[in-house]
Amino acid sequence: MTSAAATADSMRDYYARRAATYERVYFKPERQADLRTMEAWLGAPFAGREVLEIACGTGWWTPHGAREAASWLATDLNPETMELARTKPLPASVRFAEVDAYTLDGLGVQRFSGAFAGCWWSHVPRAQLAPWLELLHARLDGGARVVLLDNSFVPASSTPLSRRDADGNTYQQRALDDGSVHEVLKNFPTRGEAIAMLGPRARDVEWIDHAHYWILSYELS
Ligand SMILES: C[S@@+](CC[C@H](N)C(=O)[O-])C[C@H]1O[C@@H](n2cnc3c(N)ncnc32)[C@H](O)[C@@H]1O
């Protein structure tokens, strides 16, 4: 197995085991102001669009993003996290599908006019970001709106980094309630690094810094 495949497998397993306790991270007091601002912001970019959500997890962002969308397909590789997402107060336009973000197999020939991924970018190995974005963009029509959001590193709030590998990926040691400890790849790109990855179809690029999160929003030509 390649190290990229091993990283992808361990990430899937870690989030399956963490599903029931995952949303604790959304109750950190210092993140509440950012979260309310971002939740309120997230509906408008997708108004009237047919949206693909990558790695929806427990669906924290799904009701907010899908608020004004024409349709919203929330996908994740783990049924454990999607079971929780299904219990959210969701617009009738939301559907779910088990889809691997690295292949997008299972989507058939579907194309979309919007795409969203929350806290996914940070888990993609740096060498796989450009191919992953290309794979995603290939599913999107011209004029599609893409919103990617993720954590910023805030020393007083974030799990410390435990190491950096030769490709520049950073890692954290995370403990679960069952006592297991997992090494999780978690990158914190700068604005410049992230925008440089987007490829030639990205236009109207906007980077929004919040105290604990960043948002990258753009349109595809
Ligand atoms: C950090 S969580 C983000 C969840 C949610 N988007 C959020 O922002 O709260 C990462 C998610 O990626 C999912 N995941 C892991 N590997 C995946 C893969 N190869 N394809 C799709 N989803 C995957 C996990 O099940 C988990 O729900």
Side-chain angles (χ1 to χ4, degrees), residues 155-219:
S157 182
S158 307
T159 305
L161 301 180
S162 51
R163 73 176 175 99
R164 182 182 300 268
D165 69 17
D167 286 342
N169 297 296
T170 50
Y171 296 82
Q172 297 170 326
Q173 293 286 330
R174 298 186 182 177
L176 292 177
D177 284 6
D178 63 9
S180 58
V181 177
H182 303 255
E183 181 177 71
V184 178
L185 185 154
K186 180 84 178 173
N187 287 324
F188 297 89
T190 64
R191 174 185 189 280
E193 284 169 347
I195 292 174
M197 284 287 164
L198 297 181
R201 286 180 67 197
R203 64 184 187 202
D204 188 18
V205 178
E206 185 183 19
W207 171 275
I208 306 170
D209 262 323
H210 293 281
H212 294 268
Y213 297 90
W214 54 263
I215 301 176
L216 184 52
S217 169
Y218 58 96
E219 194 177 286

Side-chain angles (χ1 to χ4, degrees), residues 16-29:
R17 292 170 75 155
R18 188 182 160 193
T21 56
Y22 176 73
E23 290 197 350
R24 281 183 201 157
V25 76
Y26 287 119
F27 291 95
K28 290 193 173 194

